[in-house]
């Protein structure tokens, strides 16, 4: 700790005269940026993202947005806004020019159906638009000319209960055009549909956990008491996104769970890595009057990075592929860059977009130097370029000497380069105990190999010298006895 504090003091002193500080100071936010250290303490941190611009419906020339619920980006730069209260989808060009306003669709029979409550949007890798309308109870797919190509409503299956009402809320589509839907009142998991709209089944289920008191109470309860007790059913998912491998990132609305964010493989098993200091659940500490993080959207940022949108506290939490919390930004408030009711999160490769339903606007955040460096180093490490990431992590440490992830990143690179002694230092600074043990064992083994012959030579020489000394002393004692007995015999003879 002393070494770490010394390094921090030196770095902070150098920052006073560096241009980096000037850049960091310019990166101001209407709230204090922070992160958590190994001791789960909130510590000040440079801001990773700062507000850049706010877009409203008036800025687009289409009147005020009314309770917008979702926002999506196409790979061609187009933006799609679900203007739910006005029952329309706004299509905006890369430079924020309105290209299309979609208020419904024309069926193949020539019947016009208007949107009632479009709550979910998704744009696939071919830039095809999908809309989930909760009141219509439909998922609608459009082609490039915004003509309907598929409508999913009233799904049928033996595993769907009779009288089931389909209320789609959020939607995602993989590269094989399979459609995943988060629907209201569905506790079995995320609904999965084939390319023709046929229902395939559910994927992923939020487990129900009861405490021991509840289990004991139900064991000794009567049927009447059980019938009046609260049913324990899985919680619903709140949103979803897909990575390039087709794995689903999903959030759920249960604020008591330790796993509000999941990464589901094709079998529906949660395979999210959680190797960070603490659970992937947003804020570690929070005011009791506010409550824990409540994730309403998630965005995969490529290269293992992903961000979750916490509507409860208006924050965006970004993690790397191993579950390390990289940075936090955002807050509830009235200033630019804060939110009232954030509902949707998007990312264009550099900037974050947050749709606020209450403010009816879209806040755009651009990365600071600190944010760019952290993202770049994390992406290099994820893609196996740990050595190339080292100078970037070192630059991150000049901006924030308490950034443990950077110490760990450098340490891992040094371990791969078989520089275990140096790696031990960085793992110690980053409080990475497991990696520290690995580096220490390797260093100890290397030291043993390097000095084994010298040590063994000393041991053998010492052993030979000891044996020689013992033999010499034994022989000397024998000679002394012989001399003494000879002297006594001679004296007796005289």
């Amino acid at each position: 700790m002393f070494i770490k504090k010394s390094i921090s003091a030196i770095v902070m002193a150098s920052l006073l005269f560096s241009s980096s500080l000037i850049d960091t100071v310019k990166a101001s936010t209407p709230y204090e940026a922070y992160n958590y250290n190994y001791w789960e303490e909130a510590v000040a941190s440079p801001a990773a993202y700062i507000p850049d611009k706010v877009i409203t419906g008036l800025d687009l020339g289409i009147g005020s947005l009314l309770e917008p619920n979702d926002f999506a980006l196409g790979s061609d730069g187009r933006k799609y806004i679900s203007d739910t209260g006005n029952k329309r989808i706004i299509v905006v060009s890369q430079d924020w020019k309105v290209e299309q306003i979609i208020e419904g669709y024309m069926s193949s029979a020539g019947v016009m159906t208007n949107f009632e409550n479009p709550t979910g949007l998704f744009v696939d890798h071919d830039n095809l638009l999908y809309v989930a309308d909760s009141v219509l109870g439909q998922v609608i797919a459009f082609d490039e000319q915004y003509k309907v190509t598929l409508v999913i409503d009233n799904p049928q299956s033996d595993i769907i209960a009779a009288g089931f009402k389909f209320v789609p809320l959020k939607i995602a589509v993989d590269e094989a055009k399979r459609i995943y839907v988060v629907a209201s009142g569905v506790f079995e998991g995320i609904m999965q549909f084939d390319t023709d709209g046929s229902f395939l089944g559910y994927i992923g289920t939020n487990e129900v956990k009861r405490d021991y008191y509840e289990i004991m109470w139900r064991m000794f309860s009567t049927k009447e008491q059980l019938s009046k007790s609260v049913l324990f059913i899985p919680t619903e998912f709140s949103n979803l996104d897909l990575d390039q491998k087709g794995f689903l990132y999903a959030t759920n609305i249960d604020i008591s769970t330790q796993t509000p964010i999941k990464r589901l493989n094709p079998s529906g098993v949660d395979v999210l890595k959680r190797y960070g200091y603490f659970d992937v659940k947003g804020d570690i500490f929070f005011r009791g009057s506010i409550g824990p993080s409540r994730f309403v959207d998630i965005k995969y940022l490529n290269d293992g990075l992903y961000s979750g949108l916490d509507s409860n506290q208006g924050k965006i939490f970004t993690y790397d592929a191993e579950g390390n919390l990289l940075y936090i930004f955002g807050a509830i408030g009235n200033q630019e860059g804060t939110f009232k009711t954030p509902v949707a999160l998007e990312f264009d490769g550099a900037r974050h977009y947050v749709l606020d339903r209450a403010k009816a606007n879209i806040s755009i955040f651009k990365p600071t130097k600190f944010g760019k460096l952290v993202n770049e180093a994390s992406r290099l490490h994820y893609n196996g370029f740990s050595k190339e990431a080292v100078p970037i992590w070192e630059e991150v440490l000049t901006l924030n000497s308490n950034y443990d992830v950077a110490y760990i990143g450098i340490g891992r690179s040094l371990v791969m380069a078989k520089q275990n002694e140096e790696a031990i230092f960085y793992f110690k600074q980053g409080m990475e105990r497991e990696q520290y043990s690995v580096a220490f064992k390797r260093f100890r083994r290397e030291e043993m190999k390097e000095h084994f012959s010298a040590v063994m030579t000393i041991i053998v020489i010492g052993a030979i010298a000891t044996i020689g000394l013992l033999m010499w002393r034994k022989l000397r004692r024998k000679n002394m006895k012989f001399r003494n007995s000879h002297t006594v015999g001679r004296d007796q003879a005289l």
Side-chain angles (χ1 to χ4, degrees):
M1 290 299 292
F2 176 77
I3 297 174
K4 190 173 181 178
K5 288 180 179 178
S6 301
I7 293 175
S8 301
I10 295 170
V11 171
M12 288 303 296
S14 64
L15 283 175
L16 291 173
F17 304 99
S18 69
S19 59
S20 299
L21 180 63
I22 297 171
D23 184 59
T24 306
V25 170
K26 285 181 178 177
S28 60
T29 58
Y31 44 82
E32 293 184 2
Y34 68 97
N35 204 329
Y36 290 98
N37 63 13
Y38 171 80
W39 308 105
E40 298 187 355
E41 299 168 334
V43 293
S45 170
Y49 279 80
I50 57 173
D52 182 33
K53 186 186 298 183
V54 175
I55 300 293
T56 66
L58 296 176
D59 295 328
L60 300 175
I62 55 172
S64 298
L65 303 175
L66 182 60
E67 298 184 349
N69 262 306
D70 209 353
F71 179 73
L73 289 176
S75 58
D76 57 359
R78 283 194 174 90
K79 304 162 181 68
Y80 302 80
I81 306 167
S82 175
D83 190 7
T84 307
N86 289 319
K87 303 180 181 180
R88 60 184 182 176
I89 307 298
I90 313 297
V91 183
V92 184
S93 67
Q94 189 170 8
D95 55 353
W96 294 99
K97 304 293 184 186
V98 175
E99 292 186 345
Q100 189 91 17
I101 296 178
I102 308 171
E103 297 181 334
Y105 66 89
M106 185 77 73
S107 69
S108 58
V111 179
M112 182 67 190
T113 301
N114 292 319
F115 292 132
E116 291 293 338
N117 195 47
T119 54
L121 295 178
F122 190 83
V123 180
D124 68 10
H125 65 284
D126 292 324
N127 291 313
L128 301 181
L129 174 66
Y130 297 79
V131 179
D133 192 308
S134 61
V135 173
L136 288 179
Q138 295 179 346
V139 171
I140 307 115
F142 293 88
D143 64 12
E144 294 175 339
Q145 285 71 46
Y146 306 113
K147 294 181 180 177
V148 66
T149 58
L150 177 68
V151 176
I152 300 174
D153 60 355
N154 193 23
Q156 300 293 321
S157 173
D158 294 338
I159 61 174
I160 295 179
F164 169 73
K165 185 179 180 182
F166 185 46
V167 184
L169 298 176
K170 300 297 178 184
I171 185 172
V173 181
D174 65 14
E175 293 190 0
K177 304 295 184 185
R178 286 186 294 263
I179 302 169
Y180 302 88
V181 176
V182 171
S184 178
V186 175
F187 307 101
E188 293 84 353
I190 297 169
M191 303 184 76
Q192 184 179 8
F193 296 89
D194 208 345
T195 53
D196 60 357
S198 57
F199 178 67
L200 295 175
Y202 301 102
I203 182 170
T205 304
N206 291 315
E207 296 181 1
V208 178
K209 292 184 178 179
R210 289 179 289 182
D211 57 29
Y212 292 112
Y213 170 78
E214 180 64 28
I215 294 173
M216 293 294 293
W217 183 85
R218 296 180 74 86
M219 286 177 62
F220 296 102
S221 298
T222 63
K223 290 184 178 178
E224 185 178 2
Q225 288 175 320
L226 288 173
S227 64
K228 293 181 179 178
S229 65
V230 177
L231 291 175
F232 286 86
I233 55 179
T235 54
E236 300 174 57
F237 287 100
S238 56
N239 219 320
L240 71 170
D241 197 18
L242 285 155
D243 65 16
Q244 77 280 4
K245 296 180 180 178
F247 285 47
L248 278 171
Y249 282 79
T251 57
N252 69 62
I253 59 176
D254 184 6
I255 59 174
S256 64
T257 181
Q258 298 299 309
T259 58
I261 294 177
K262 294 182 176 180
R263 182 174 184 248
L264 304 174
N265 67 12
S267 300
V269 178
D270 180 18
V271 294
L272 187 72
K273 293 181 179 178
R274 300 178 176 87
Y275 300 150
Y277 294 151
F278 26 78
D279 294 325
V280 181
K281 63 176 186 180
D283 257 330
I284 306 303
F285 292 104
F286 45 84
R287 294 179 182 174
S289 58
I290 298 176
S293 297
R294 182 186 179 95
F295 289 104
V296 294
D297 200 1
I298 187 164
K299 186 63 186 176
Y300 182 68
L301 313 182
N302 291 324
D303 301 315
L305 307 184
Y306 57 95
S307 293
L309 176 61
D310 169 18
S311 68
N312 207 16
Q313 303 182 70
K315 297 175 183 176
I316 294 93
F317 295 84
T318 299
Y319 297 87
D320 66 11
E322 297 176 353
N324 294 303
L325 179 56
L326 299 180
Y327 45 77
I328 307 165
F329 65 94
I332 295 292
N334 295 315
Q335 305 98 322
E336 184 174 311
T338 61
F339 319 109
K340 282 189 175 179
T341 309
V343 292
L345 176 67
E346 271 295 342
F347 183 72
D348 67 359
R351 293 169 296 184
H352 276 90
Y353 300 75
V354 179
L355 175 67
D356 192 315
R357 180 167 57 202
K359 288 187 175 180
N361 63 23
I362 299 167
S363 296
I364 305 172
F365 293 83
K366 64 180 181 181
T368 63
K369 179 180 180 180
F370 176 74
K372 289 178 182 176
L373 291 171
V374 170
N375 287 341
E376 185 179 359
S378 300
R379 294 180 190 281
L380 285 171
H381 175 72
Y382 177 80
N383 290 300
F385 300 103
S386 297
K387 184 178 179 181
E388 289 76 4
V390 169
I392 303 172
W393 283 130
E394 290 173 341
E395 197 169 355
V396 169
L397 289 175
T398 65
L399 299 175
N400 181 8
S401 61
N402 292 315
Y403 197 69
D404 294 337
V405 177
Y407 287 111
I408 297 171
I410 295 173
R412 286 176 175 164
S413 173
L414 292 171
V415 166
M416 295 178 68
K418 298 183 178 180
Q419 296 176 260
N420 295 303
E421 185 177 10
E422 294 85 350
I424 288 172
F425 168 79
Y426 283 97
F427 286 138
K428 187 175 182 180
Q429 302 308 307
M431 300 299 291
E432 175 50 81
R433 297 186 176 186
E434 291 186 8
Q435 294 292 328
Y436 175 91
S437 298
V438 171
F440 184 79
K441 287 179 182 177
R442 291 183 179 182
F443 174 66
R444 184 174 57 188
R445 188 165 58 241
E446 289 171 358
E447 289 293 300
M448 287 293 293
K449 285 182 179 179
E450 183 178 350
H451 302 294
F452 181 77
S453 58
V455 171
M456 288 305 297
T457 301
I458 293 172
I459 292 173
V460 170
I461 293 174
I464 293 173
T466 303
I467 293 171
L469 179 62
L470 292 174
M471 291 178 65
W472 176 77
R473 293 180 63 181
K474 187 176 181 180
L475 184 62
R476 185 168 175 268
R477 283 197 297 269
K478 188 181 288 185
N479 290 335
M480 290 290 292
K481 284 182 180 180
F482 175 76
R483 288 178 184 173
N484 290 337
S485 61
H486 180 72
T487 303
V488 171
R490 188 183 61 186
D491 292 343
Q492 289 176 349
L494 291 174

